[in-house]
Amino acid sequence: MGIMTGKRGIIFGLANDKSIAWGIAQQLKEAGAELAFTYMNEALEKRVRPLAESLGSEIILPCDVMNETELAAVFSALEERWGKIDFFVHAVAFANREDLKKPFSETSREGFQLALDVSAYSLVSMTRHALPIMNDGGSIVTMTYLGSVRSVPQYNVMGVAKAALESSVRYLAAELGERGIRVNAVSAGPIKTLAASGISNFKEKLSIAEQRSPLKRLVTQDEVGKSTLYLLSDLSTAVTGEVHYVDAGFSNNAG
């Protein structure tokens, strides 16, 4: 019997087996959780479906997080199949590649709006759709990064979006506390993911993080998964509105 036995939830943002979401999914499954997944489009479905099925998932749904109709359909399908859910994981972020390469002052209005919509507002919208079927005492976890509180070269508008995301976590935590629903963020150190490939000089950032980390190494998918598991489980019933750093100590030595 694992600490998540009897709990059900959905993961948004799995792209492939290099995703942070994959590390989270593996830890949740090992702990006994029943999982559902979403995918953005047909191309991603080809990657996501085999991974989800390897964990025994029978609920794998299309979802563009900018589409309210598709979000509503996801949670309607979960209600029809499960009735209630205990958690969801928001591992979704996006910014135009050109807006990450140019100086921040040259960020386009459209690019700014897109990054904030996908990376931050989607958590608010997702929560709104989830609340009617979420059990009291449930948990919500999203993924953030150090660029929300420090200027990280080439992170640009994504850093602003992550700052908005973290602020949203605090407001949602305050609102949902009466139901015992907790809302937290995990701030992972640099990890090689599909999303990270859009950041210029990312290999250099990995090297710097490794050098400056007190543990002299990079954080792993499994370690992020374990911390997320803690925040989704009953081990953290008094933790909400927090940003939990999992970066081998890099954030304390980033300069």
Side-chain angles (χ1 to χ4, degrees):
M1 297 288 286
I3 59 174
M4 296 297 287
T5 297
K7 295 187 181 293
R8 293 168 164 168
I10 184 166
I11 297 177
F12 293 83
L14 177 63
N16 56 35
D17 62 357
K18 304 298 183 184
S19 299
I20 288 175
W22 180 237
I24 294 169
Q26 290 176 300
Q27 292 296 327
L28 287 169
K29 179 62 178 180
E30 186 175 338
E34 190 171 354
L35 301 173
F37 295 87
T38 66
Y39 57 88
M40 171 71 176
N41 51 41
E42 290 184 5
L44 283 175
E45 181 184 7
K46 294 177 181 178
R47 302 175 183 173
V48 173
R49 186 170 293 278
L51 293 173
E53 290 176 346
S54 75
L55 297 182
S57 177
E58 298 179 352
I59 305 177
I60 308 162
L61 303 166
C63 185
D64 176 352
V65 298
M66 295 179 65
N67 187 315
E68 293 292 327
T69 300
E70 289 192 13
L71 271 173
V74 166
F75 287 100
S76 177
L78 292 176
E79 182 177 24
E80 182 177 345
R81 188 67 173 270
W82 286 343
K84 295 285 187 177
I85 63 172
D86 301 288
F87 65 88
F88 75 77
V89 174
H90 174 274
V92 179
F94 181 80
N96 285 328
R97 188 180 294 265
E98 54 266 31
D99 286 318
L100 298 177
K101 290 183 176 180
K102 296 184 298 186
F104 177 63
S105 61
E106 296 181 16
T107 305
S108 66
R109 183 180 300 274
E110 294 78 11
F112 190 96
Q113 292 172 338
L114 177 64
L116 270 288
D117 194 343
V118 176
S119 309
Y121 181 73
S122 61
L123 174 67
V124 180
S125 181
M126 209 174 284
T127 299
R128 182 172 62 253
H129 287 287
L131 284 177
I133 67 167
M134 180 167 280
N135 285 317
D136 290 353
S139 183
I140 299 167
V141 173
T142 186
M143 299 293 116
T144 187
Y145 178 62
L146 184 65
S148 64
V149 294
R150 300 192 186 188
S151 174
V152 174
Q154 285 82 51
Y155 203 58
N156 294 353
V157 68
M158 186 57 72
V160 177
K162 291 298 189 182
L165 178 70
E166 291 179 17
S167 185
S168 299
V169 165
R170 292 187 286 272
Y171 278 93
L172 289 171
E175 176 185 338
L176 305 182
E178 291 185 359
R179 286 184 53 184
I181 295 175
R182 296 167 291 112
V183 188
N184 291 287
V186 170
S187 183
I191 295 179
K192 293 180 182 179
T193 64
L194 185 63
S197 65
I199 301 172
S200 299
N201 301 319
F202 186 68
K203 289 184 179 180
E204 180 182 347
K205 291 176 173 58
L206 290 173
S207 177
I208 291 172
E210 188 171 12
Q211 293 170 17
R212 295 184 181 179
S213 163
L215 296 180
K216 302 303 178 187
R217 64 174 179 81
L218 300 173
V219 69
T220 68
Q221 283 177 300
D222 284 345
E223 288 169 329
V224 178
K226 289 174 183 176
S227 290
T228 306
L229 169 61
Y230 160 73
L231 291 171
L232 291 174
S233 76
D234 290 341
L235 294 176
S236 59
T237 51
V239 180
T240 194
E242 298 288 338
V243 175
H244 186 82
Y245 285 89
V246 190
D247 57 12
F250 173 68
S251 61
N252 293 321
N253 293 270

